[in-house]
Amino acid sequence: MLYQRILRPLFFRLPAEKAHYRAMDLLQSARRLPGGAALIRSMYGVKPRPEQAMEAFGLRFPHPVGLAAGFDKDARWVDGLADLGFAFIEIGTVTPKPQPGNPKPRLFRLPSDKALINRMGFNNGGVAEAAERLRALREKGRCRVIVGGNIGKNKATPNHEAEADYRAAFAALHPVVDYLVVNVSSPNTPGLRELQEREPLTRLLRVLQEDNAATGSPKPILLKIAPDLNAGQLEDIVALTRETGTAGLIVSNTTIAREGLRTSAAELEAIGAGGLSGDPVRDRSTELIRRIRTLAGPDLPIIGVGGIRTTEHAREKLNAGATLVQVWTGFIYEGPGMVRTMLRGL
């Protein structure tokens, strides 16, 4: 209640991207105080309950709720976010070379819709920087949570050279993460979604699996897809997961659609392009999960993401066929007690 009554109104007075970094600075500053981390865990952490443990793609999760990619792009706050009870945290999207992303402002709140629009554009400090932070956490024994690494290509890299970018990011992150995610579904890098077509995507996933096998200790590779795929594309995606040995799907990324929003058309026009997340995509992503589960059968792990704020929202995804769920926009609106509250009802 502290967050929703006091902190959220204060943060929402700031531009959305600035508020994001201020909130994380506040969390990390609190953890550095004597006893601060222990206090945060006592307030917001989650005690493992055996009946909520899940197994997926060879990993055992203490419960099904994780944090989606995009929140901690550069692996700066993994230890602090773990104190808030997440079962797993997905860092990234990271690219081989650092890049600033799209011009600011590029993150916008839609409070009446409990939604966000972003056109960040894979802003990150480069994969080497993120990998080094994760390596240091593991060496110090401070990585107490399953970590996924979400990888993409640099904006300047043409699609016909994208494989090299994904291979470089994969190689750097492989030793320091528990699973990897191929992101070809962001709407904010020009032409990226063209890589979701069957031929280039099959080729990309196969070469990454070859690199994975060559490490001698292969790790799960998942694919994150857009919510705007048609029926034929969905069938292709499910088929190629079998062909390439892809360990699971993350369903789904942000949408470019704008239908049914309470936010005025004038405000949406002023915001401009970007991916929409939060409540408005909940039904879309849940239906996509249901369709993929029907196509894929019971064995393919699916991480459901999109519009999850409450226990009921998470249950909808799980009932539709998701194995695990991730939150992002809902976390902005509900605050640090979100995971504990959600798990009480699951």
Side-chain angles (χ1 to χ4, degrees):
M1 297 304 288
L2 171 67
Y3 177 80
Q4 294 186 11
R5 289 180 178 176
I6 300 175
L7 294 179
R8 188 176 70 184
L10 292 175
F11 287 136
F12 275 34
R13 292 179 182 178
L14 297 173
E17 188 171 353
K18 180 179 288 188
H20 181 74
Y21 286 97
R22 290 280 178 87
M24 290 299 98
D25 287 345
L26 181 62
L27 174 64
Q28 295 297 79
S29 295
R31 294 183 72 254
R32 286 191 288 268
L33 296 173
L39 177 62
I40 290 169
R41 286 193 293 271
S42 70
M43 294 173 63
Y44 303 117
V46 174
K47 294 182 179 179
R49 294 167 58 185
E51 68 271 19
Q52 291 184 331
M54 310 286 292
E55 290 194 10
F57 39 88
L59 299 173
R60 184 169 178 82
F61 297 79
H63 60 77
V65 183
L67 183 65
F71 195 95
D72 188 3
K73 290 177 178 289
D74 292 308
R76 294 178 182 275
W77 312 305
V78 170
D79 49 352
L81 291 166
D83 289 344
L84 303 182
F86 292 104
F88 59 109
I89 294 168
E90 193 171 306
I91 66 103
T93 298
V94 291
T95 56
K97 298 176 183 177
Q99 62 181 27
N102 292 320
K104 298 178 182 179
R106 54 195 180 182
L107 180 63
F108 308 88
R109 305 182 194 92
L110 280 59
S112 59
D113 291 292
K114 288 192 166 51
L116 296 172
I117 289 175
N118 93 81
R119 52 172 177 269
M120 304 300 288
F122 289 173
N123 58 304
N124 72 107
V127 68
E129 182 181 284
E132 183 54 39
R133 288 195 181 99
L134 290 173
R135 185 174 293 107
L137 278 180
R138 293 190 183 280
E139 289 175 353
K140 296 173 183 176
R142 289 167 48 196
C143 195
R144 304 177 307 280
V145 65
I146 292 172
V147 177
N150 188 298
I151 58 175
K153 78 174 187 73
N154 283 107
K155 182 178 181 179
T157 303
N159 279 1
H160 68 272
E161 297 177 8
E163 284 180 20
D165 272 19
Y166 282 95
R167 294 180 74 185
F170 176 90
L173 279 187
H174 181 276
V176 293
V177 298
D178 300 294
Y179 69 91
L180 292 111
V181 180
V182 177
N183 186 355
V184 290
S185 55
S186 169
N188 300 317
T189 295
L192 184 73
R193 287 190 171 189
E194 295 172 9
L195 296 175
Q196 289 184 124
E197 297 300 325
R198 181 162 185 164
E199 183 178 344
L201 185 54
T202 301
R203 188 169 59 246
L204 173 59
L205 291 173
R206 280 181 173 161
V207 74
L208 289 176
Q209 290 289 24
E210 291 171 3
D211 290 353
N212 199 22
T215 66
S217 55
K219 293 182 177 178
I221 298 177
L222 285 74
L223 174 66
K224 188 166 187 173
I225 65 173
D228 308 307
L229 300 176
N230 61 40
Q233 289 173 315
L234 280 185
E235 292 176 2
D236 284 346
I237 291 288
V238 171
L240 70 83
T241 61
R242 299 190 186 103
E243 294 170 12
T244 61
T246 300
L249 294 175
I250 300 182
V251 185
S252 61
N253 214 319
T254 58
T255 181
I256 57 175
R258 296 289 189 270
E259 294 86 0
L261 297 178
R262 296 183 180 90
T263 303
S264 71
E267 186 174 351
L268 292 173
E269 184 176 354
I271 289 172
L276 174 70
S277 61
D279 280 21
V281 302
R282 183 170 66 246
D283 292 343
R284 181 187 292 258
S285 66
T286 301
E287 178 57 27
L288 199 60
I289 291 166
R290 187 174 290 111
R291 290 163 61 190
I292 289 173
R293 179 56 70 210
T294 299
L295 289 168
D299 297 329
L300 180 70
I302 297 172
I303 300 179
V305 56
I308 300 173
R309 282 191 300 107
T310 69
T311 298
E312 186 55 38
H313 299 161
R315 187 179 291 115
E316 287 174 4
K317 294 287 191 287
L318 296 170
N319 289 343
T323 314
L324 304 162
V325 297
Q326 289 177 327
V327 301
W328 202 122
T329 301
F331 186 46
I332 300 298
Y333 283 91
E334 299 300 316
M338 180 185 193
V339 178
R340 177 180 282 191
T341 300
M342 189 175 292
L343 290 175
R344 284 174 181 163
L346 285 178

